[in-house]
Every structure is written in structure tokens, then in C-alpha cells.
Coordinates of all heavy atoms in Angstrom, one line a residue:
M28 N -0.6 -10.2 -39.7 CA -1.1 -11.6 -39.6 C -1.7 -12.0 -41.0 O -2.3 -11.2 -41.7 CB -2.2 -11.7 -38.6 CG -2.7 -13.2 -38.6 SD -3.9 -13.7 -37.3 CE -4.7 -12.2 -36.8
F29 N -1.5 -13.2 -41.4 CA -2.0 -13.8 -42.6 C -2.9 -14.9 -42.3 O -2.8 -15.6 -41.3 CB -0.8 -14.3 -43.5 CG 0.2 -13.2 -43.8 CD1 1.3 -12.9 -43.0 CD2 -0.1 -12.4 -44.9 CE1 2.1 -11.8 -43.3 CE2 0.8 -11.3 -45.2 CZ 1.9 -11.1 -44.4
L30 N -3.8 -15.1 -43.3 CA -4.8 -16.2 -43.1 C -4.8 -17.1 -44.4 O -4.5 -16.7 -45.5 CB -6.2 -15.6 -43.1 CG -6.6 -14.5 -42.1 CD1 -8.0 -14.0 -42.3 CD2 -6.5 -15.1 -40.7
T31 N -5.1 -18.3 -44.1 CA -5.6 -19.2 -45.3 C -7.1 -19.3 -45.0 O -7.6 -19.4 -43.9 CB -4.9 -20.6 -45.3 OG1 -4.9 -21.2 -44.0 CG2 -3.5 -20.4 -45.8
Y32 N -7.8 -19.2 -46.1 CA -9.3 -19.2 -46.0 C -9.9 -19.9 -47.2 O -9.2 -20.2 -48.2 CB -9.8 -17.7 -46.0 CG -9.4 -16.9 -47.2 CD1 -10.2 -16.9 -48.4 CD2 -8.2 -16.2 -47.3 CE1 -9.8 -16.1 -49.5 CE2 -7.8 -15.5 -48.4 CZ -8.6 -15.4 -49.5 OH -8.3 -14.7 -50.6
A33 N -11.2 -20.2 -47.0 CA -11.9 -20.9 -48.1 C -13.2 -20.1 -48.4 O -13.8 -19.5 -47.5 CB -12.3 -22.3 -47.6
H34 N -13.6 -20.1 -49.6 CA -14.9 -19.5 -50.0 C -15.8 -20.7 -50.4 O -15.4 -21.6 -51.1 CB -14.7 -18.6 -51.2 CG -14.1 -17.3 -50.8 ND1 -13.5 -16.5 -51.8 CD2 -13.8 -16.7 -49.6 CE1 -13.0 -15.4 -51.2 NE2 -13.1 -15.6 -49.9
F35 N -17.1 -20.6 -49.9 CA -18.1 -21.6 -50.1 C -19.3 -20.9 -50.7 O -19.6 -19.8 -50.4 CB -18.5 -22.2 -48.8 CG -17.4 -23.0 -48.1 CD1 -16.6 -22.4 -47.2 CD2 -17.3 -24.3 -48.4 CE1 -15.6 -23.1 -46.6 CE2 -16.3 -25.1 -47.7 CZ -15.4 -24.4 -46.8
K36 N -20.0 -21.7 -51.6 CA -21.4 -21.3 -52.0 C -22.3 -21.4 -50.8 O -21.9 -22.2 -49.8 CB -21.9 -22.2 -53.1 CG -21.1 -22.0 -54.4 CD -21.6 -23.0 -55.4 CE -20.7 -23.1 -56.6 NZ -21.2 -24.1 -57.6
P37 N -23.4 -20.7 -50.7 CA -24.3 -20.8 -49.6 C -24.7 -22.2 -49.2 O -24.9 -22.5 -48.0 CB -25.5 -19.9 -50.0 CG -24.9 -18.9 -50.9 CD -23.9 -19.7 -51.7
E38 N -24.8 -23.1 -50.1 CA -25.2 -24.5 -49.8 C -24.0 -25.3 -49.3 O -24.2 -26.5 -48.9 CB -25.9 -25.2 -51.0 CG -24.9 -25.6 -52.1 CD -24.6 -24.5 -53.1 OE1 -25.0 -23.4 -53.0 OE2 -23.8 -24.9 -54.0
G39 N -22.8 -24.7 -49.2 CA -21.7 -25.4 -48.6 C -20.7 -25.9 -49.6 O -19.7 -26.5 -49.1
A40 N -20.8 -25.7 -50.9 CA -19.8 -26.2 -51.8 C -18.6 -25.3 -51.9 O -18.7 -24.1 -52.1 CB -20.5 -26.3 -53.2
L41 N -17.4 -25.9 -51.6 CA -16.2 -25.2 -51.7 C -15.9 -24.9 -53.1 O -16.0 -25.7 -54.0 CB -15.1 -26.1 -51.1 CG -13.6 -25.6 -51.2 CD1 -13.4 -24.4 -50.3 CD2 -12.7 -26.7 -50.8
F42 N -15.5 -23.6 -53.3 CA -15.0 -23.2 -54.7 C -13.7 -22.4 -54.8 O -13.2 -22.2 -55.8 CB -16.2 -22.5 -55.5 CG -16.4 -21.1 -55.0 CD1 -15.8 -20.0 -55.6 CD2 -17.4 -20.8 -54.0 CE1 -16.1 -18.7 -55.1 CE2 -17.6 -19.6 -53.5 CZ -17.0 -18.5 -54.1
Y43 N -13.2 -22.1 -53.6 CA -11.9 -21.3 -53.6 C -11.2 -21.5 -52.3 O -11.7 -21.4 -51.2 CB -12.3 -19.8 -53.8 CG -11.1 -18.9 -54.0 CD1 -10.4 -18.8 -55.3 CD2 -10.5 -18.2 -53.0 CE1 -9.3 -18.0 -55.4 CE2 -9.4 -17.4 -53.1 CZ -8.8 -17.3 -54.4 OH -7.7 -16.5 -54.5
I44 N -9.8 -21.6 -52.5 CA -8.9 -21.6 -51.3 C -8.0 -20.4 -51.6 O -7.5 -20.2 -52.7 CB -8.1 -22.9 -51.3 CG1 -8.9 -24.1 -51.1 CG2 -7.0 -22.7 -50.2 CD1 -9.4 -24.3 -49.7
G45 N -7.7 -19.6 -50.5 CA -6.8 -18.5 -50.7 C -6.0 -18.2 -49.5 O -6.1 -18.8 -48.4
K46 N -5.1 -17.2 -49.6 CA -4.3 -16.7 -48.5 C -4.2 -15.2 -48.6 O -4.3 -14.6 -49.7 CB -2.9 -17.3 -48.4 CG -1.9 -16.8 -49.5 CD -0.9 -16.1 -48.8 CE 0.1 -15.6 -49.9 NZ 0.3 -14.2 -49.9
G47 N -4.1 -14.5 -47.5 CA -4.0 -13.1 -47.5 C -4.3 -12.6 -46.1 O -4.3 -13.3 -45.1
S48 N -4.6 -11.3 -46.0 CA -5.1 -10.7 -44.8 C -6.5 -10.9 -44.6 O -7.2 -11.4 -45.5 CB -4.8 -9.2 -44.7 OG -5.6 -8.5 -45.7
K49 N -7.1 -10.6 -43.4 CA -8.5 -10.8 -43.2 C -9.3 -10.1 -44.2 O -10.3 -10.6 -44.7 CB -8.9 -10.4 -41.7 CG -10.3 -10.7 -41.4 CD -10.6 -10.4 -40.0 CE -12.1 -10.7 -39.7 NZ -12.4 -10.6 -38.3
K50 N -8.9 -8.8 -44.5 CA -9.7 -8.1 -45.5 C -9.7 -8.8 -46.9 O -10.7 -8.7 -47.6 CB -9.1 -6.7 -45.6 CG -9.3 -5.8 -44.4 CD -8.7 -4.4 -44.7 CE -8.9 -3.5 -43.4 NZ -8.3 -2.2 -43.6
R51 N -8.6 -9.4 -47.3 CA -8.6 -10.1 -48.6 C -9.6 -11.2 -48.6 O -10.2 -11.4 -49.7 CB -7.2 -10.6 -48.8 CG -7.0 -11.4 -50.1 CD -7.3 -10.5 -51.3 NE -7.1 -11.3 -52.6 CZ -7.8 -11.0 -53.7 NH1 -8.6 -10.0 -53.8 NH2 -7.6 -11.7 -54.7
A52 N -9.8 -11.9 -47.5 CA -10.7 -13.0 -47.5 C -12.1 -12.5 -47.9 O -12.9 -13.3 -48.5 CB -10.7 -13.7 -46.2
Y53 N -12.5 -11.3 -47.6 CA -13.8 -10.8 -47.9 C -13.9 -9.9 -49.1 O -15.0 -9.5 -49.5 CB -14.3 -10.0 -46.6 CG -14.6 -10.9 -45.5 CD1 -13.5 -11.2 -44.6 CD2 -15.8 -11.6 -45.3 CE1 -13.7 -12.1 -43.5 CE2 -16.0 -12.4 -44.2 CZ -15.0 -12.7 -43.3 OH -15.1 -13.5 -42.3
A54 N -12.8 -9.6 -49.7 CA -12.7 -8.7 -50.9 C -13.3 -9.3 -52.1 O -13.1 -10.5 -52.4 CB -11.3 -8.2 -51.1
K55 N -14.0 -8.5 -52.9 CA -14.5 -9.0 -54.2 C -13.7 -8.5 -55.4 O -13.9 -8.9 -56.5 CB -16.0 -8.5 -54.3 CG -17.0 -9.2 -53.4 CD -18.4 -8.8 -53.7 CE -19.4 -9.5 -52.7 NZ -20.7 -9.1 -53.0
D56 N -12.8 -7.6 -55.1 CA -12.0 -7.0 -56.2 C -10.8 -7.9 -56.5 O -10.3 -8.6 -55.6 CB -11.6 -5.6 -56.0 CG -10.9 -5.4 -54.7 OD1 -11.1 -6.2 -53.7 OD2 -10.1 -4.4 -54.6
N57 N -10.2 -7.8 -57.7 CA -9.0 -8.5 -58.1 C -9.2 -10.0 -58.0 O -8.3 -10.7 -57.5 CB -7.8 -8.0 -57.3 CG -7.5 -6.5 -57.6 OD1 -7.6 -6.1 -58.7 ND2 -7.2 -5.8 -56.5
R58 N -10.3 -10.5 -58.5 CA -10.6 -11.9 -58.5 C -10.7 -12.3 -60.0 O -11.0 -11.5 -60.9 CB -11.9 -12.3 -57.8 CG -11.9 -11.9 -56.3 CD -11.0 -12.7 -55.5 NE -11.2 -12.4 -54.1 CZ -10.6 -13.1 -53.1 NH1 -9.9 -14.1 -53.4 NH2 -10.9 -12.7 -51.9
N59 N -10.5 -13.6 -60.2 CA -10.6 -14.1 -61.6 C -12.0 -14.2 -62.1 O -12.9 -14.1 -61.2 CB -9.8 -15.4 -61.8 CG -10.4 -16.6 -61.1 OD1 -11.6 -16.8 -61.0 ND2 -9.5 -17.4 -60.5
Q60 N -12.2 -14.3 -63.4 CA -13.6 -14.3 -63.9 C -14.4 -15.5 -63.4 O -15.6 -15.4 -63.1 CB -13.5 -14.3 -65.4 CG -14.9 -14.1 -66.1 CD -15.4 -12.7 -65.7 OE1 -14.7 -11.7 -65.8 NE2 -16.7 -12.6 -65.3
H61 N -13.8 -16.7 -63.2 CA -14.5 -17.8 -62.7 C -15.1 -17.5 -61.3 O -16.2 -17.8 -61.0 CB -13.6 -19.1 -62.7 CG -14.3 -20.3 -62.2 ND1 -15.2 -21.0 -62.8 CD2 -14.1 -21.0 -61.0 CE1 -15.6 -22.0 -62.1 NE2 -14.9 -22.0 -61.0
W62 N -14.2 -17.0 -60.4 CA -14.7 -16.6 -59.1 C -15.8 -15.6 -59.2 O -16.8 -15.8 -58.5 CB -13.5 -16.1 -58.3 CG -13.8 -15.8 -56.9 CD1 -13.5 -16.6 -55.8 CD2 -14.4 -14.6 -56.3 NE1 -13.9 -16.0 -54.6 CE2 -14.4 -14.8 -54.9 CE3 -14.9 -13.4 -56.8 CZ2 -15.0 -13.8 -54.0 CZ3 -15.4 -12.5 -56.0 CH2 -15.5 -12.7 -54.6
T63 N -15.6 -14.6 -60.0 CA -16.7 -13.5 -60.1 C -18.0 -14.1 -60.6 O -19.0 -13.7 -60.0 CB -16.2 -12.5 -61.1 OG1 -14.9 -11.9 -60.6 CG2 -17.2 -11.3 -61.2
N64 N -18.0 -15.0 -61.5 CA -19.2 -15.6 -62.1 C -19.9 -16.4 -61.0 O -21.1 -16.3 -60.8 CB -18.9 -16.5 -63.3 CG -18.5 -15.7 -64.5 OD1 -18.7 -14.5 -64.6 ND2 -17.8 -16.4 -65.4
I65 N -19.2 -17.2 -60.2 CA -19.8 -18.0 -59.1 C -20.4 -17.0 -58.1 O -21.6 -17.3 -57.7 CB -18.7 -18.9 -58.4 CG1 -18.3 -20.0 -59.4 CG2 -19.3 -19.5 -57.1 CD1 -17.2 -20.9 -58.9
V66 N -19.7 -16.0 -57.7 CA -20.2 -15.1 -56.7 C -21.4 -14.3 -57.2 O -22.4 -14.1 -56.4 CB -19.1 -14.1 -56.2 CG1 -19.6 -13.1 -55.3 CG2 -18.0 -15.0 -55.4
K67 N -21.4 -13.9 -58.4 CA -22.6 -13.2 -59.0 C -23.8 -14.1 -58.9 O -24.9 -13.6 -58.7 CB -22.3 -12.8 -60.4 CG -21.5 -11.5 -60.5 CD -21.3 -11.1 -62.0 CE -20.5 -9.9 -62.1 NZ -20.3 -9.6 -63.6
K68 N -23.6 -15.4 -59.2 CA -24.8 -16.3 -59.2 C -25.2 -16.8 -57.9 O -26.4 -16.9 -57.6 CB -24.4 -17.5 -60.1 CG -25.6 -18.5 -60.4 CD -25.2 -19.5 -61.3 CE -26.4 -20.5 -61.6 NZ -26.0 -21.5 -62.6
H69 N -24.2 -17.1 -57.0 CA -24.5 -17.7 -55.7 C -24.2 -16.9 -54.5 O -24.7 -17.2 -53.4 CB -23.8 -19.0 -55.6 CG -24.0 -20.0 -56.7 ND1 -25.1 -20.8 -56.8 CD2 -23.3 -20.3 -57.8 CE1 -25.1 -21.5 -57.9 NE2 -24.0 -21.2 -58.5
G70 N -23.3 -15.9 -54.6 CA -22.8 -15.3 -53.3 C -21.7 -16.2 -52.8 O -21.3 -17.1 -53.4
F71 N -21.2 -15.8 -51.6 CA -20.1 -16.6 -51.0 C -20.1 -16.4 -49.5 O -20.5 -15.4 -49.0 CB -18.8 -16.3 -51.6 CG -18.1 -15.0 -51.3 CD1 -17.0 -15.0 -50.4 CD2 -18.6 -13.8 -51.8 CE1 -16.4 -13.8 -50.1 CE2 -18.0 -12.6 -51.5 CZ -16.9 -12.6 -50.6
Q72 N -19.6 -17.4 -48.9 CA -19.3 -17.4 -47.4 C -17.8 -17.7 -47.2 O -17.2 -18.4 -47.9 CB -20.2 -18.5 -46.7 CG -21.7 -18.2 -46.9 CD -22.5 -19.3 -46.3 OE1 -22.1 -20.4 -46.0 NE2 -23.8 -19.0 -46.0
V73 N -17.3 -17.1 -46.2 CA -15.9 -17.2 -45.9 C -15.6 -18.0 -44.6 O -16.3 -17.8 -43.6 CB -15.2 -15.8 -45.7 CG1 -13.8 -15.9 -45.3 CG2 -15.4 -14.9 -46.9
K74 N -14.7 -18.9 -44.7 CA -14.2 -19.6 -43.5 C -12.7 -19.5 -43.3 O -12.0 -19.8 -44.3 CB -14.6 -21.1 -43.5 CG -14.2 -21.9 -42.3 CD -14.8 -23.2 -42.2 CE -14.3 -24.0 -41.1 NZ -14.9 -23.8 -39.8
T75 N -12.3 -19.0 -42.2 CA -10.8 -18.9 -41.9 C -10.4 -20.3 -41.6 O -10.9 -21.0 -40.7 CB -10.5 -17.9 -40.8 OG1 -11.0 -16.6 -41.2 CG2 -9.0 -17.9 -40.5
L76 N -9.3 -20.8 -42.3 CA -8.8 -22.1 -42.0 C -7.6 -22.1 -41.1 O -7.5 -23.1 -40.3 CB -8.4 -22.8 -43.4 CG -9.5 -22.8 -44.4 CD1 -9.0 -23.3 -45.7 CD2 -10.7 -23.7 -43.9
A77 N -6.8 -21.1 -41.2 CA -5.6 -21.0 -40.3 C -5.1 -19.6 -40.2 O -5.3 -18.8 -41.2 CB -4.5 -22.0 -40.7
K78 N -4.4 -19.3 -39.2 CA -3.8 -17.9 -39.0 C -2.2 -18.1 -39.0 O -1.8 -19.1 -38.3 CB -4.3 -17.2 -37.8 CG -5.7 -16.9 -37.8 CD -6.2 -16.3 -36.6 CE -7.7 -16.0 -36.6 NZ -8.2 -15.4 -35.4
W79 N -1.5 -17.2 -39.6 CA -0.1 -17.3 -39.7 C 0.6 -15.9 -39.4 O 0.0 -14.9 -39.8 CB 0.3 -17.7 -41.1 CG -0.4 -19.0 -41.5 CD1 -1.6 -19.1 -42.2 CD2 0.0 -20.3 -41.3 NE1 -1.9 -20.4 -42.4 CE2 -0.9 -21.2 -41.8 CE3 1.1 -20.9 -40.6 CZ2 -0.8 -22.6 -41.7 CZ3 1.2 -22.3 -40.5 CH2 0.3 -23.1 -41.1
T80 N 1.7 -15.9 -38.8 CA 2.5 -14.7 -38.6 C 3.4 -14.5 -39.8 O 3.8 -13.4 -40.0 CB 3.3 -14.7 -37.3 OG1 4.1 -15.9 -37.3 CG2 2.4 -14.7 -36.1
D81 N 3.8 -15.5 -40.5 CA 4.7 -15.5 -41.6 C 4.0 -15.8 -42.9 O 3.3 -16.8 -43.0 CB 5.8 -16.5 -41.3 CG 6.9 -16.4 -42.4 OD1 7.8 -15.5 -42.2 OD2 6.9 -17.2 -43.3
E82 N 4.1 -14.9 -43.9 CA 3.4 -15.0 -45.1 C 3.9 -16.3 -45.9 O 3.1 -16.9 -46.5 CB 3.7 -13.8 -46.0 CG 2.8 -13.8 -47.3 CD 2.9 -12.6 -48.1 OE1 3.9 -11.8 -47.9 OE2 2.1 -12.4 -49.0
S83 N 5.1 -16.6 -45.8 CA 5.6 -17.8 -46.5 C 5.0 -19.1 -46.0 O 4.7 -20.0 -46.7 CB 7.1 -17.9 -46.5 OG 7.6 -18.1 -45.1
D84 N 4.7 -19.1 -44.7 CA 4.0 -20.3 -44.1 C 2.5 -20.3 -44.6 O 2.0 -21.4 -44.9 CB 4.0 -20.2 -42.6 CG 5.4 -20.5 -42.0 OD1 6.2 -21.1 -42.6 OD2 5.6 -20.0 -40.8
A85 N 1.9 -19.2 -44.7 CA 0.6 -19.1 -45.2 C 0.5 -19.6 -46.7 O -0.4 -20.3 -47.1 CB 0.0 -17.7 -45.1
L86 N 1.5 -19.2 -47.5 CA 1.6 -19.6 -48.9 C 1.7 -21.1 -49.0 O 1.1 -21.7 -49.8 CB 2.7 -18.9 -49.6 CG 2.9 -19.2 -51.0 CD1 1.7 -18.9 -51.9 CD2 4.2 -18.5 -51.6
L87 N 2.6 -21.7 -48.2 CA 2.8 -23.1 -48.2 C 1.5 -23.8 -47.8 O 1.1 -24.9 -48.4 CB 3.9 -23.5 -47.3 CG 5.3 -23.2 -47.7 CD1 6.3 -23.5 -46.6 CD2 5.7 -23.9 -49.0
H88 N 0.8 -23.3 -46.8 CA -0.5 -23.9 -46.4 C -1.5 -23.8 -47.5 O -2.2 -24.8 -47.8 CB -1.0 -23.3 -45.1 CG -2.1 -24.0 -44.5 ND1 -3.3 -23.4 -44.2 CD2 -2.2 -25.3 -44.1 CE1 -4.1 -24.4 -43.7 NE2 -3.5 -25.5 -43.6
E89 N -1.6 -22.7 -48.2 CA -2.5 -22.5 -49.3 C -2.2 -23.5 -50.4 O -3.1 -24.1 -50.9 CB -2.4 -21.0 -49.9 CG -3.3 -20.8 -51.1 CD -2.9 -19.6 -51.8 OE1 -1.7 -19.2 -51.9 OE2 -3.8 -19.0 -52.4
Q90 N -0.9 -23.6 -50.8 CA -0.6 -24.6 -51.8 C -0.9 -26.0 -51.4 O -1.4 -26.8 -52.3 CB 0.9 -24.5 -52.1 CG 1.3 -23.2 -52.8 CD 2.8 -22.9 -52.8 OE1 3.6 -23.6 -52.1 NE2 3.2 -22.0 -53.6
F91 N -0.7 -26.4 -50.2 CA -1.1 -27.7 -49.7 C -2.6 -27.9 -49.8 O -3.0 -29.0 -50.3 CB -0.6 -27.9 -48.3 CG -1.1 -29.1 -47.6 CD1 -0.6 -30.4 -47.9 CD2 -2.1 -29.1 -46.7 CE1 -1.0 -31.5 -47.3 CE2 -2.6 -30.2 -46.1 CZ -2.0 -31.5 -46.4
L92 N -3.4 -27.0 -49.4 CA -4.8 -27.1 -49.4 C -5.3 -27.2 -50.8 O -6.2 -28.0 -51.1 CB -5.5 -25.9 -48.7 CG -5.3 -25.9 -47.2 CD1 -5.8 -24.5 -46.6 CD2 -6.0 -27.0 -46.5
I93 N -4.8 -26.4 -51.7 CA -5.2 -26.5 -53.1 C -4.9 -27.8 -53.7 O -5.8 -28.4 -54.4 CB -4.5 -25.4 -54.0 CG1 -5.1 -24.0 -53.6 CG2 -4.7 -25.6 -55.4 CD1 -4.4 -22.8 -54.1
A94 N -3.8 -28.4 -53.4 CA -3.4 -29.7 -53.9 C -4.4 -30.8 -53.3 O -4.8 -31.7 -54.0 CB -2.0 -30.1 -53.5
C95 N -4.8 -30.6 -52.0 CA -5.7 -31.6 -51.4 C -7.1 -31.5 -52.0 O -7.7 -32.6 -52.2 CB -5.8 -31.3 -49.9 SG -4.3 -31.8 -49.0
F96 N -7.6 -30.3 -52.3 CA -8.9 -30.2 -52.7 C -9.1 -30.1 -54.2 O -10.2 -29.9 -54.7 CB -9.6 -28.9 -52.1 CG -9.8 -29.1 -50.6 CD1 -9.0 -28.4 -49.7 CD2 -10.8 -29.9 -50.2 CE1 -9.2 -28.6 -48.3 CE2 -11.0 -30.1 -48.8 CZ -10.2 -29.4 -47.9
K97 N -8.0 -30.1 -55.0 CA -8.0 -29.9 -56.4 C -9.0 -30.9 -57.1 O -9.7 -30.5 -58.1 CB -6.6 -30.1 -57.0 CG -6.5 -29.7 -58.4 CD -5.0 -29.7 -58.8 CE -4.9 -29.1 -60.2 NZ -3.5 -29.0 -60.6
D98 N -9.1 -32.1 -56.7 CA -9.9 -33.1 -57.4 C -11.3 -33.1 -57.0 O -12.1 -33.9 -57.5 CB -9.3 -34.5 -57.2 CG -7.9 -34.6 -57.9 OD1 -7.7 -34.0 -58.9 OD2 -7.1 -35.4 -57.3
M99 N -11.7 -32.2 -56.0 CA -13.1 -32.2 -55.5 C -14.0 -31.6 -56.5 O -13.8 -30.6 -57.2 CB -13.2 -31.5 -54.2 CG -12.5 -32.3 -53.1 SD -12.6 -31.5 -51.5 CE -14.4 -31.8 -51.1

């Protein structure tokens, strides 16, 4: 199973949209420096946005969400 998920700062500000397995949503390794800096300063909370049986559907959903939230 694949997930699309969001990472939020504790006060609720969205800073990341991703896709992967449930473990990936909570993983701190293999992240970019911007993500790492935010998490070091603020921590993060995870919200699962959707579940997918097919990885390509999860990827399309991730791309759609990033496009929607890009200007925020």
C-alpha cells in the first residue's frame, strides 16, 4: 500500500507533501536540507491524505497536491 501524506509544523503550517509507504511518512532520513532545517527547528506532524494500492496513482496524487499547494 502507498500513501500520500503531508508534514506540518506543530502550529499547523504545511511544509511538505509526499508519497511512499507508511514508514516513509514518518522517516527522517533521506530528506532534503530544507526539510531537515524545518524539522530541527519545529518538529513535524504527519497526516495521511490518501491510500493507494498502485504506486503510479499515488505519484499522480502527490504531483496534483504539490501543484495545488505550491503557492501557499
Side-chain angles (χ1 to χ4, degrees):
M28 178 176 20
F29 299 92
L30 306 172
T31 48
Y32 59 89
H34 288 165
F35 296 89
K36 295 177 186 176
E38 76 276 0
L41 173 68
F42 71 92
Y43 186 81
I44 299 282
K46 74 112 180 123
S48 67
K49 184 175 182 176
K50 289 181 181 181
R51 177 63 179 153
Y53 293 90
K55 291 184 178 180
D56 56 331
N57 297 319
R58 301 290 186 173
N59 66 43
Q60 191 60 50
H61 179 71
W62 186 95
T63 301
N64 291 342
I65 290 172
V66 172
K67 280 182 182 178
K68 186 174 182 178
H69 303 283
F71 73 107
Q72 297 175 341
V73 178
K74 178 168 176 86
T75 299
L76 304 174
K78 296 179 181 180
W79 306 92
T80 55
D81 186 79
E82 186 176 16
S83 62
D84 290 338
L86 178 61
L87 288 172
H88 191 237
E89 176 195 32
Q90 292 168 341
F91 172 74
L92 292 171
I93 290 169
C95 289
F96 290 107
K97 191 173 185 174
D98 296 327
M99 291 182 74

